[in-house]
Amino acid sequence: MLGRNSDLRLKRIREGFPMKRYRTPQEKKLLSLSRDCRNIVAESQRGARDAIAQRKRWVNQSYRKAIHQRLSALRGGDPADPETVESEVAGTRRHGWRKSRDVPLGLALLVRRSRLGADSD
């Protein structure tokens, strides 16, 4: 009599589902080094999370401030027409900032080793 697990395996094979492929520890390590990513900018992980949020805040706040400054300059004497206001706001540009991509763990370890080797020389 077959056990419960073997019945499930036979059912999976009959239904067309492939069997799970077991990997060696070496294959698992290579997959981990290629899939896991790290931030290599000179910050700790917690510092990087804080810095990303701070930079996003800065971009949005500076954009709002620039719009406010342009609109307050228009308020001077006579009331401005809507097209002027719209063109002033449309002419305001956002500061550009994007988070740099994280790199695979294997490459991050190579960078770390090269930095450590350069420091010891």
Side-chain angles (χ1 to χ4, degrees):
M1 180 162 170
L2 297 174
R4 184 174 184 276
N5 287 338
S6 59
D7 290 341
L8 290 175
R9 283 189 199 123
L10 291 175
K11 183 179 177 184
R12 285 179 61 99
I13 291 170
R14 272 188 245 119
E15 291 176 357
F17 292 109
M19 296 291 289
K20 181 179 177 183
R21 182 177 171 272
Y22 291 100
R23 293 190 167 92
T24 65
Q26 292 82 8
E27 289 175 322
K28 289 180 183 179
K29 183 70 172 184
L30 285 175
L31 281 174
S32 172
L33 289 175
S34 64
R35 288 181 181 169
D36 298 344
C37 292
R38 293 292 185 271
N39 179 13
I40 60 169
V41 180
E43 299 169 339
S44 66
Q45 289 181 353
R46 180 65 203 167
R49 287 193 296 270
D50 290 343
I52 291 165
Q54 187 177 11
R55 291 291 291 200
K56 285 182 176 182
R57 267 195 315 272
W58 174 78
V59 167
N60 293 327
Q61 286 173 355
S62 63
Y63 179 67
R64 289 193 304 266
K65 182 178 179 179
I67 287 177
H68 180 74
Q69 286 175 342
R70 287 192 175 208
L71 293 179
S72 63
L74 288 177
R75 285 189 207 146
D78 55 85
D81 61 311
E83 285 119 22
T84 308
V85 172
E86 189 174 335
S87 67
E88 282 292 320
V89 170
T92 306
R93 298 200 45 128
R94 233 176 237 279
H95 288 283
W97 181 81
R98 302 282 314 232
K99 178 189 177 294
S100 59
R101 292 187 66 183
D102 293 343
V103 297
L105 180 58
L107 183 59
L109 291 175
L110 283 175
V111 168
R112 183 183 293 173
R113 277 190 217 122
S114 68
R115 286 181 184 167
L116 290 175
D119 289 343
S120 65
D121 288 339

